[in-house]
Amino acid sequence: MNEPVSRGLFITFEGPEGAGKTTQIARLVERLTGAEVAHIVTREPGGTPLGTRIRQVVLLEPDLPVDPLPEFLLYSASRAQLVGQIIRPALARGEVVVCDRYADSSLAYQGAGRGLDAGLLAQITHAATGGLQPDLTFLLDLDPAVGLARAATRGEPDRLERADLSFHQRVREGFLALAHGEPARFRVMDGTRSPDELAEQIWSTVAETLGTVQIGAGQAEAPA
Ligand code: T5A
């Protein structure tokens, strides 16, 4: 069985395509680095050699047929490896873990979006993660049409970016329903606000949370 995590802080960023997660994670990392808070940054799918290969198959080969259940299982395999190899060890060292997407993405994309049974997703996710849940999840909420237009400026669409707008609307609703169900963990942010405004809001929440937990060796005080 997995050891219980008693230290560290697990932060995830979620949201529809192009919501601004990568931008805000970079801003948060600057603040954590400036405040000398031990941290790592990772992402899903990916974050390990296995996860990187799965990412290639599941996202970047959009013409390869992959049905919804195997798609979810591939994300889950990447997640299981990431949790065991990267996330739990970092939390056990007392570090902040910042992860670009996690299990909520499966519930939103493969559950609300593709229509897979929520109970099945929860059962397999529990097996893949040993029940590890983020302490704090920032949901950058955005009209998917706006997010897809932002993402489109980057070149060829991946498998998910190719899905139609109604799929992405279900994904957005799925995320909002998850946030509604777990208000203590989720912070829903308006993804149309400026990057600077969002970064300030996010840092203020993280700094406040850091003040309530003991992070890393020698990090007894909350950052300014
Ligand atoms: N997936 C993933 C599943 O289906 N199931 C799962 O279980 C998991 C884990 C991952 C895909 O995998 C799917 C979901 C996804 O489709 P990805 O390549 O990692 O794909 O991409 P995304 O996570 O979707 O991230 P994106 O890079 O598309 O978007 P971000 O990171 O949310 O947005 P970002 O920061 O790159 O910004 C996009 C553009 O918008 C601008 C940026 O400059 C950039 O040009 N921007 C803003 N513009 C205006 N205002 C702001 N506040 C802005 N913030 C950023």
Side-chain angles (χ1 to χ4, degrees):
M1 287 300 287
N2 294 307
E3 291 295 314
V5 173
S6 57
R7 297 190 301 152
L9 183 71
F10 184 20
I11 302 173
T12 57
F13 282 74
E14 298 281 5
E17 309 296 309
K21 299 178 303 302
T22 309
T23 303
Q24 290 307 319
I25 287 170
R27 297 292 193 93
L28 176 57
V29 164
E30 277 174 25
R31 302 299 288 259
L32 290 169
T33 304
E36 298 184 357
V37 175
H39 63 276
I40 63 155
V41 184
T42 189
R43 70 170 177 180
E44 282 202 7
T48 66
L50 176 67
T52 300
R53 291 190 192 186
I54 290 174
R55 182 182 183 88
Q56 173 69 31
V57 170
V58 80
L59 282 179
L60 304 181
E61 297 180 28
D63 294 323
L64 179 76
V66 179
D67 286 343
L69 181 59
E71 180 184 57
F72 166 65
L73 294 173
L74 286 166
Y75 284 115
S76 298
S78 173
R79 183 167 302 134
Q81 188 68 29
L82 183 67
V83 167
Q85 188 178 338
I86 305 290
I87 297 178
R88 280 189 187 276
L91 292 174
R93 291 193 301 269
E95 296 177 6
V96 174
V97 174
V98 181
C99 192
D100 190 343
R101 298 195 181 278
Y102 186 63
D104 297 310
S105 278
S106 283
L107 298 174
Y109 280 84
Q110 282 68 52
R114 301 276 198 229
L116 290 181
D117 177 68
L120 175 72
L121 299 189
Q123 205 179 349
I124 293 173
T125 297
H126 193 275
T129 62
L132 181 68
Q133 283 268 49
D135 300 297
L136 191 56
T137 296
F138 292 103
L139 171 57
L140 298 178
D141 178 53
L142 190 71
D143 180 338
V146 176
L148 285 167
R150 285 183 186 173
T153 59
R154 282 186 314 216
E156 282 302 299
D158 65 28
R159 183 185 303 276
L160 275 299
E161 287 165 1
R162 281 189 181 189
D164 62 30
L165 192 56
S166 63
F167 169 84
H168 289 288
Q169 275 157 349
R170 291 197 299 281
V171 170
R172 181 192 193 185
E173 292 308 317
F175 275 127
L176 289 171
L178 290 169
H180 185 71
E182 280 188 80
R185 171 163 71 89
F186 277 91
R187 300 290 182 280
V188 182
M189 324 290 292
D190 177 354
T192 65
R193 297 186 71 179
S194 76
D196 285 349
E197 284 176 301
L198 287 165
E200 279 309 316
Q201 269 188 300
I202 288 167
W203 177 242
S204 142
T205 302
V206 171
E208 188 187 329
T209 307
L210 285 170
T212 66
V213 293
Q214 188 186 346
I215 297 294
Q219 292 290 333
E221 292 183 13

Coordinates of all heavy atoms in Angstrom, one line a residue, residues 151-215:
A151 N -5.9 28.4 -28.2 CA -5.0 27.2 -28.5 C -4.7 27.1 -30.0 O -3.6 26.6 -30.4 CB -5.7 26.0 -28.0
A152 N -5.6 27.6 -30.8 CA -5.5 27.4 -32.3 C -4.3 28.2 -32.8 O -3.8 27.9 -33.9 CB -6.7 27.8 -33.0
T153 N -3.8 29.2 -32.1 CA -2.7 30.0 -32.6 C -1.4 29.2 -32.5 O -0.4 29.6 -33.0 CB -2.5 31.3 -31.7 OG1 -2.3 30.9 -30.4 CG2 -3.8 32.1 -31.8
R154 N -1.5 28.0 -31.9 CA -0.2 27.2 -31.7 C 0.1 26.2 -32.8 O 1.0 25.4 -32.6 CB -0.3 26.5 -30.3 CG 0.0 27.4 -29.2 CD 0.1 26.6 -28.0 NE -1.1 25.6 -28.0 CZ -1.7 25.3 -26.9 NH1 -1.4 25.7 -25.7 NH2 -2.7 24.4 -27.0
G155 N -0.8 26.1 -33.8 CA -0.5 25.1 -34.8 C -1.5 24.0 -34.8 O -2.6 24.1 -34.5
E156 N -1.0 22.8 -35.2 CA -1.9 21.6 -35.4 C -2.6 21.2 -34.2 O -2.0 21.1 -33.1 CB -1.0 20.4 -35.9 CG -0.6 20.4 -37.3 CD -1.8 20.5 -38.3 OE1 -2.6 19.6 -38.2 OE2 -1.9 21.5 -39.0
P157 N -3.9 21.1 -34.2 CA -4.7 20.7 -33.0 C -4.4 19.2 -32.7 O -4.2 18.4 -33.5 CB -6.2 20.8 -33.5 CG -6.1 20.7 -35.0 CD -4.8 21.2 -35.4
D158 N -4.3 18.9 -31.3 CA -4.2 17.6 -30.9 C -5.5 16.8 -30.9 O -6.5 17.4 -31.3 CB -3.4 17.5 -29.5 CG -4.2 18.1 -28.4 OD1 -5.5 18.1 -28.4 OD2 -3.6 18.6 -27.4
R159 N -5.5 15.6 -30.4 CA -6.8 14.8 -30.4 C -8.0 15.5 -29.8 O -9.0 15.5 -30.3 CB -6.5 13.4 -29.7 CG -7.7 12.5 -29.7 CD -7.4 11.2 -28.9 NE -6.2 10.5 -29.3 CZ -6.2 9.6 -30.3 NH1 -7.3 9.3 -31.0 NH2 -5.0 9.0 -30.6
L160 N -7.7 16.1 -28.6 CA -8.8 16.7 -27.9 C -9.2 18.0 -28.5 O -10.4 18.4 -28.5 CB -8.5 16.9 -26.4 CG -8.7 15.7 -25.4 CD1 -10.2 15.3 -25.4 CD2 -7.9 14.5 -25.8
E161 N -8.3 18.8 -29.0 CA -8.6 20.1 -29.6 C -9.4 19.9 -30.8 O -10.1 20.8 -31.3 CB -7.3 20.8 -29.9 CG -6.6 21.4 -28.6 CD -5.2 21.8 -28.8 OE1 -4.7 21.7 -30.0 OE2 -4.6 22.3 -27.9
R162 N -9.4 18.7 -31.4 CA -10.1 18.4 -32.6 C -11.6 18.1 -32.3 O -12.4 18.1 -33.2 CB -9.6 17.1 -33.3 CG -8.4 17.4 -34.1 CD -8.1 16.1 -34.9 NE -6.9 16.2 -35.7 CZ -6.6 15.3 -36.6 NH1 -7.3 14.2 -36.8 NH2 -5.5 15.4 -37.3
A163 N -11.9 17.8 -31.1 CA -13.3 17.5 -30.7 C -14.2 18.7 -30.9 O -13.7 19.9 -30.8 CB -13.4 17.0 -29.3
D164 N -15.5 18.5 -31.1 CA -16.4 19.6 -31.4 C -16.7 20.5 -30.2 O -16.4 20.1 -29.1 CB -17.6 19.2 -32.2 CG -18.5 18.2 -31.3 OD1 -18.5 18.3 -30.1 OD2 -19.2 17.4 -31.9
L165 N -17.3 21.6 -30.5 CA -17.5 22.6 -29.4 C -18.5 22.1 -28.3 O -18.3 22.3 -27.1 CB -18.1 23.9 -30.0 CG -18.1 25.1 -29.1 CD1 -16.7 25.4 -28.5 CD2 -18.7 26.3 -29.8
S166 N -19.5 21.2 -28.7 CA -20.4 20.7 -27.7 C -19.7 19.8 -26.7 O -20.0 19.8 -25.5 CB -21.6 20.0 -28.3 OG -21.1 18.9 -29.0
F167 N -18.7 19.1 -27.2 CA -17.8 18.2 -26.3 C -17.1 19.1 -25.3 O -17.2 18.9 -24.1 CB -16.8 17.5 -27.1 CG -15.7 16.8 -26.3 CD1 -16.0 15.5 -25.7 CD2 -14.5 17.4 -26.1 CE1 -15.0 14.9 -25.0 CE2 -13.5 16.8 -25.3 CZ -13.8 15.6 -24.7
H168 N -16.5 20.2 -25.8 CA -15.8 21.1 -24.9 C -16.7 21.8 -23.9 O -16.3 22.2 -22.8 CB -14.9 22.1 -25.7 CG -13.8 21.4 -26.3 ND1 -12.7 20.9 -25.6 CD2 -13.6 21.0 -27.6 CE1 -11.8 20.3 -26.4 NE2 -12.3 20.3 -27.6
Q169 N -18.0 22.1 -24.3 CA -18.9 22.7 -23.4 C -19.3 21.7 -22.3 O -19.4 22.1 -21.1 CB -20.2 23.1 -24.2 CG -19.9 24.5 -24.7 CD -20.8 24.9 -25.9 OE1 -21.5 24.0 -26.5 NE2 -20.8 26.1 -26.3
R170 N -19.4 20.4 -22.6 CA -19.7 19.4 -21.6 C -18.5 19.3 -20.6 O -18.7 19.2 -19.4 CB -20.0 18.0 -22.2 CG -21.3 17.9 -23.0 CD -21.7 16.5 -23.2 NE -20.7 15.7 -24.0 CZ -20.6 15.8 -25.3 NH1 -21.4 16.6 -26.0 NH2 -19.7 15.0 -26.0
V171 N -17.3 19.4 -21.2 CA -16.1 19.4 -20.3 C -16.1 20.5 -19.3 O -15.9 20.4 -18.1 CB -14.8 19.4 -21.2 CG1 -13.6 19.6 -20.3 CG2 -14.7 18.1 -22.0
R172 N -16.4 21.7 -19.9 CA -16.5 22.9 -19.0 C -17.5 22.7 -17.9 O -17.2 22.9 -16.7 CB -16.8 24.1 -19.8 CG -16.9 25.4 -18.9 CD -17.5 26.6 -19.6 NE -17.3 27.8 -18.9 CZ -17.8 29.0 -19.3 NH1 -18.6 29.1 -20.3 NH2 -17.6 30.0 -18.5
E173 N -18.7 22.2 -18.2 CA -19.7 22.0 -17.2 C -19.3 20.9 -16.2 O -19.6 21.0 -15.1 CB -21.0 21.6 -17.9 CG -21.7 22.6 -18.8 CD -21.9 23.9 -18.0 OE1 -22.3 23.9 -16.8 OE2 -21.6 25.0 -18.6
G174 N -18.6 19.9 -16.8 CA -18.1 18.9 -15.9 C -17.1 19.4 -14.8 O -17.2 19.1 -13.6
F175 N -16.2 20.3 -15.2 CA -15.3 20.9 -14.3 C -16.1 21.8 -13.3 O -15.8 21.7 -12.1 CB -14.3 21.8 -15.0 CG -13.1 21.2 -15.6 CD1 -12.7 21.3 -16.9 CD2 -12.3 20.4 -14.8 CE1 -11.6 20.7 -17.4 CE2 -11.1 19.7 -15.3 CZ -10.8 19.9 -16.6
L176 N -17.0 22.5 -13.7 CA -17.8 23.4 -12.8 C -18.5 22.6 -11.8 O -18.7 22.9 -10.6 CB -18.7 24.3 -13.6 CG -17.9 25.5 -14.3 CD1 -18.9 26.2 -15.3 CD2 -17.2 26.4 -13.4
A177 N -19.1 21.4 -12.3 CA -19.8 20.5 -11.3 C -18.9 20.0 -10.3 O -19.2 19.9 -9.1 CB -20.5 19.4 -12.1
L178 N -17.7 19.6 -10.7 CA -16.7 19.1 -9.7 C -16.4 20.1 -8.7 O -16.3 19.9 -7.5 CB -15.4 18.6 -10.4 CG -15.5 17.4 -11.3 CD1 -14.2 17.2 -12.2 CD2 -15.7 16.1 -10.5
A179 N -16.1 21.4 -9.2 CA -15.8 22.5 -8.2 C -17.0 22.7 -7.3 O -16.7 23.0 -6.1 CB -15.5 23.7 -9.0
H180 N -18.2 22.6 -7.8 CA -19.3 22.9 -7.0 C -19.4 21.8 -5.9 O -19.8 22.1 -4.7 CB -20.6 22.8 -7.8 CG -21.8 23.2 -7.1 ND1 -22.1 24.4 -6.7 CD2 -22.9 22.4 -6.7 CE1 -23.3 24.4 -6.1 NE2 -23.8 23.2 -6.0
G181 N -19.0 20.6 -6.2 CA -19.1 19.5 -5.2 C -18.0 19.5 -4.2 O -18.1 18.8 -3.1
E182 N -16.9 20.2 -4.5 CA -15.8 20.2 -3.5 C -15.3 21.7 -3.3 O -14.1 22.0 -3.7 CB -14.6 19.4 -4.0 CG -14.8 17.9 -3.8 CD -13.5 17.1 -4.2 OE1 -12.6 17.1 -3.4 OE2 -13.5 16.6 -5.3
P183 N -16.1 22.5 -2.8 CA -15.7 23.9 -2.7 C -14.5 24.2 -1.8 O -13.8 25.2 -2.0 CB -16.9 24.6 -2.0 CG -17.7 23.5 -1.4 CD -17.4 22.2 -2.2
A184 N -14.1 23.3 -0.9 CA -13.0 23.5 0.0 C -11.7 23.3 -0.8 O -10.7 24.0 -0.5 CB -13.0 22.5 1.2
R185 N -11.7 22.4 -1.8 CA -10.5 22.2 -2.6 C -10.3 23.1 -3.8 O -9.2 23.5 -4.1 CB -10.5 20.7 -3.0 CG -9.3 20.4 -4.0 CD -9.1 18.9 -4.2 NE -10.1 18.2 -4.8 CZ -10.1 18.0 -6.2 NH1 -9.2 18.5 -6.9 NH2 -11.1 17.2 -6.7
F186 N -11.4 23.4 -4.4 CA -11.4 24.2 -5.7 C -11.4 25.7 -5.5 O -12.1 26.2 -4.6 CB -12.6 23.8 -6.6 CG -12.4 22.6 -7.4 CD1 -12.8 21.3 -6.9 CD2 -11.9 22.6 -8.7 CE1 -12.7 20.2 -7.7 CE2 -11.7 21.5 -9.5 CZ -12.1 20.3 -8.9
R187 N -10.7 26.4 -6.3 CA -10.8 27.8 -6.4 C -11.1 28.1 -7.9 O -10.3 27.8 -8.8 CB -9.5 28.6 -6.1 CG -9.1 28.4 -4.7 CD -10.0 29.1 -3.6 NE -9.4 28.9 -2.3 CZ -9.6 27.8 -1.5 NH1 -10.2 26.7 -2.0 NH2 -9.0 27.7 -0.3
V188 N -12.3 28.5 -8.2 CA -12.7 28.8 -9.6 C -12.3 30.2 -10.0 O -12.7 31.2 -9.3 CB -14.2 28.6 -9.8 CG1 -14.6 28.8 -11.2 CG2 -14.7 27.2 -9.3
M189 N -11.5 30.3 -11.0 CA -11.0 31.6 -11.4 C -11.6 32.0 -12.8 O -11.7 31.1 -13.6 CB -9.4 31.6 -11.6 CG -8.7 30.7 -10.6 SD -8.7 31.4 -8.9 CE -7.7 32.8 -9.1
D190 N -11.8 33.2 -13.0 CA -12.3 33.7 -14.3 C -11.1 33.8 -15.3 O -10.3 34.7 -15.2 CB -13.0 35.1 -14.1 CG -13.5 35.7 -15.4 OD1 -13.2 35.1 -16.5 OD2 -14.1 36.7 -15.3
G191 N -11.1 32.8 -16.2 CA -9.9 32.7 -17.1 C -9.9 33.9 -18.1 O -8.9 34.0 -18.9
T192 N -10.9 34.8 -18.1 CA -10.8 35.9 -19.1 C -10.1 37.1 -18.4 O -9.9 38.1 -19.1 CB -12.2 36.4 -19.5 OG1 -13.0 36.8 -18.4 CG2 -13.0 35.2 -20.2
R193 N -9.8 37.0 -17.1 CA -9.1 38.1 -16.5 C -7.7 38.1 -17.0 O -7.2 37.2 -17.6 CB -9.2 38.0 -15.0 CG -10.6 38.0 -14.5 CD -10.7 38.0 -13.0 NE -10.2 39.3 -12.4 CZ -10.2 39.6 -11.1 NH1 -10.6 38.7 -10.2 NH2 -9.7 40.7 -10.7
S194 N -7.0 39.2 -16.7 CA -5.6 39.4 -17.3 C -4.7 38.4 -16.5 O -4.9 38.0 -15.4 CB -5.1 40.8 -17.1 OG -4.7 41.0 -15.7
P195 N -3.6 38.0 -17.2 CA -2.6 37.1 -16.6 C -2.1 37.7 -15.3 O -1.9 36.9 -14.3 CB -1.5 37.0 -17.6 CG -2.2 37.2 -18.9 CD -3.3 38.2 -18.7
D196 N -1.9 39.0 -15.2 CA -1.4 39.6 -14.0 C -2.4 39.5 -12.8 O -2.0 39.1 -11.7 CB -1.1 41.1 -14.2 CG 0.2 41.3 -15.0 OD1 0.9 40.3 -15.2 OD2 0.4 42.4 -15.5
E197 N -3.7 39.8 -13.1 CA -4.7 39.7 -12.1 C -4.8 38.3 -11.6 O -4.9 38.0 -10.4 CB -6.1 40.1 -12.7 CG -6.3 41.6 -12.9 CD -7.6 41.8 -13.5 OE1 -7.9 41.3 -14.6 OE2 -8.4 42.5 -12.9
L198 N -4.8 37.3 -12.5 CA -5.0 35.9 -12.1 C -3.8 35.5 -11.2 O -3.9 34.8 -10.2 CB -5.1 35.0 -13.3 CG -6.4 35.1 -14.0 CD1 -6.3 34.5 -15.4 CD2 -7.5 34.4 -13.2
A199 N -2.6 35.9 -11.7 CA -1.4 35.5 -10.9 C -1.4 36.0 -9.5 O -1.0 35.3 -8.5 CB -0.1 36.0 -11.7
E200 N -1.9 37.3 -9.3 CA -2.0 37.8 -8.0 C -3.0 37.1 -7.1 O -2.7 36.7 -6.0 CB -2.4 39.3 -8.0 CG -1.3 40.3 -8.4 CD -0.1 40.1 -7.5 OE1 -0.2 40.0 -6.2 OE2 1.0 40.2 -8.0
Q201 N -4.1 36.7 -7.7 CA -5.1 36.0 -6.9 C -4.6 34.6 -6.5 O -4.8 34.2 -5.4 CB -6.4 35.8 -7.8 CG -7.4 36.8 -7.8 CD -8.6 36.3 -8.6 OE1 -8.5 36.0 -9.8 NE2 -9.8 36.2 -7.9
I202 N -3.9 34.0 -7.5 CA -3.5 32.6 -7.2 C -2.4 32.7 -6.1 O -2.4 31.9 -5.2 CB -3.0 32.0 -8.5 CG1 -4.2 31.6 -9.4 CG2 -2.1 30.7 -8.3 CD1 -3.8 31.3 -10.8
W203 N -1.5 33.6 -6.3 CA -0.4 33.7 -5.3 C -0.9 34.0 -3.9 O -0.5 33.4 -2.9 CB 0.7 34.7 -5.7 CG 1.8 34.8 -4.7 CD1 2.1 35.9 -3.9 CD2 2.6 33.7 -4.2 NE1 3.1 35.6 -3.1 CE2 3.5 34.3 -3.2 CE3 2.8 32.4 -4.5 CZ2 4.4 33.5 -2.5 CZ3 3.7 31.6 -3.9 CH2 4.5 32.2 -2.9
S204 N -1.9 34.9 -3.8 CA -2.5 35.2 -2.5 C -3.1 33.9 -1.9 O -2.9 33.7 -0.7 CB -3.5 36.3 -2.8 OG -4.6 36.2 -2.0
T205 N -3.7 33.1 -2.7 CA -4.3 31.9 -2.1 C -3.2 30.9 -1.7 O -3.3 30.3 -0.6 CB -5.2 31.2 -3.1 OG1 -6.2 32.1 -3.5 CG2 -5.9 29.9 -2.6
V206 N -2.2 30.8 -2.5 CA -1.2 29.8 -2.2 C -0.4 30.3 -1.0 O -0.1 29.5 -0.1 CB -0.2 29.6 -3.4 CG1 1.0 28.8 -3.0 CG2 -1.0 28.9 -4.6
A207 N 0.0 31.6 -0.9 CA 0.7 32.1 0.2 C -0.1 31.9 1.5 O 0.5 31.5 2.5 CB 1.0 33.5 0.0
E208 N -1.4 32.1 1.4 CA -2.2 31.9 2.6 C -2.2 30.4 3.0 O -2.1 30.1 4.2 CB -3.6 32.4 2.3 CG -4.5 32.4 3.5 CD -6.0 32.7 3.1 OE1 -6.2 33.4 2.1 OE2 -6.8 32.2 3.8
T209 N -2.3 29.5 2.1 CA -2.3 28.1 2.4 C -1.0 27.7 2.9 O -0.9 26.9 3.9 CB -2.6 27.3 1.1 OG1 -3.8 27.8 0.6 CG2 -2.8 25.8 1.4
L210 N 0.1 28.2 2.4 CA 1.5 27.8 2.9 C 1.6 28.2 4.3 O 2.4 27.6 5.0 CB 2.5 28.5 2.0 CG 2.8 27.9 0.6 CD1 3.7 28.8 -0.2 CD2 3.4 26.5 0.7
G211 N 0.9 29.3 4.7 CA 1.0 29.7 6.1 C 0.4 28.7 7.1 O 0.7 28.8 8.3
T212 N -0.4 27.8 6.5 CA -1.1 26.8 7.4 C -0.5 25.5 7.4 O -0.9 24.6 8.1 CB -2.6 26.7 7.0 OG1 -2.6 26.0 5.7 CG2 -3.3 28.0 6.9
V213 N 0.6 25.2 6.6 CA 1.2 23.9 6.5 C 2.7 24.1 6.6 O 3.2 25.2 6.3 CB 0.9 23.2 5.2 CG1 -0.6 22.8 5.1 CG2 1.3 24.0 4.0
Q214 N 3.4 23.0 7.0 CA 4.9 23.1 7.1 C 5.4 22.5 5.8 O 5.2 21.4 5.5 CB 5.3 22.2 8.3 CG 6.8 22.4 8.5 CD 7.3 21.5 9.6 OE1 6.5 20.9 10.3 NE2 8.6 21.4 9.7
I215 N 6.1 23.4 5.0 CA 6.6 23.0 3.7 C 8.1 23.0 3.7 O 8.8 24.0 4.0 CB 6.2 24.0 2.6 CG1 4.7 24.0 2.5 CG2 6.8 23.7 1.3 CD1 4.1 22.7 2.0

